[in-house]
Amino acid sequence: MAKPRDKKYDSPRQGRVRPAGELIGEVGGLAFKRFGFVQGAVVSRWGEIVGERYAGVSLPESIRFPSGSRKNGTLTLLVQGAHAPLMQHLGPMIIERVNRFFGYEAINKVAYRQGVIPAKAERPERQAPAPVPTELGEGLRTIADPELRACLESLAGQIAASSGPPAVDKNDPKPLPIIRSIT
């Protein structure tokens, strides 16, 4: 006979595909905190905080606060070699912008470490969709919902632009199908 399940640990079924960030939950936040980041958004939005020019030559490594406090912390930046003196001169501006991002005076000191900034992965360019074939265009005009019509026109254009089924490498394991929910 099967054991009865404890209901307080079961999450309710949602009947939809959930983003990976939602499934991971607090685990990602704990990993960032372990490595010195109270808020992971500082890393992901570094370009917005200091500007793309300075984000290209620097990267936040950690934020350390005095024990029992979330103020007067030290931000450690990884900076490319020759740019370190420039970034030191920009220290007050960096402190001001990071504090503005947090919304309170979280940082009062910036420490610098010289190193190599990892290159950002470039996003591949997508091909422009082909115009919708005329025989499909007439049928799509009768659809009243403009969002649905736009999605179907985009799908028709991508199908018309393709040159057949996708090529699959026989040595690779079978890829998982992409399942998307329509909500």
Side-chain angles (χ1 to χ4, degrees):
M1 182 172 191
K3 293 181 186 178
R5 296 175 71 181
D6 189 3
K7 296 290 184 187
K8 75 176 187 180
Y9 294 111
D10 286 343
S11 63
R13 293 180 181 244
Q14 306 222 344
R16 64 179 178 90
V17 177
R18 295 184 291 175
E22 186 179 317
L23 295 173
I24 291 174
E26 297 175 3
V27 175
L30 293 174
F32 273 116
K33 286 181 185 176
R34 179 176 174 208
F35 293 105
F37 281 100
V38 177
Q39 195 173 19
V42 173
V43 178
S44 62
R45 296 177 64 187
W46 186 243
E48 295 173 31
I49 294 171
V50 296
E52 292 300 322
R53 178 178 179 189
Y54 301 123
V57 296
S58 66
L59 186 69
E61 278 191 331
S62 67
I63 299 174
R64 302 284 181 202
F65 294 101
S67 61
S69 175
R70 290 289 176 212
K71 291 185 175 185
N72 301 325
T74 302
L75 170 67
T76 304
L77 290 179
L78 177 65
V79 181
Q80 283 185 347
H83 296 280
L86 170 68
M87 295 302 285
Q88 283 180 328
H89 286 291
L90 297 173
M93 183 223 30
I94 293 171
I95 291 171
E96 184 260 329
R97 288 187 180 184
V98 171
N99 287 339
R100 187 181 327 146
F101 176 76
F102 277 112
Y104 67 97
E105 195 168 330
I107 305 298
N108 72 345
K109 183 180 175 186
V110 180
Y112 304 94
R113 190 176 74 80
Q114 290 184 348
V116 178
I117 306 297
K120 293 180 182 177
E122 291 188 24
R123 299 175 74 178
E125 289 186 28
R126 292 185 178 185
Q127 60 180 349
V132 178
T134 55
E135 62 270 5
L136 288 178
E138 293 299 321
L140 292 176
R141 287 195 184 101
T142 61
I143 297 174
D145 185 11
E147 289 182 32
L148 178 61
R149 185 175 47 243
C151 288
L152 291 174
E153 286 175 354
S154 173
L155 177 64
Q158 291 293 336
I159 291 172
S162 69
S163 60
V168 178
D169 187 8
K170 299 294 181 188
N171 296 329
D172 285 345
K174 185 176 179 180
L176 296 174
I178 298 174
I179 300 172
R180 296 189 177 135
S181 66
I182 300 174
T183 55

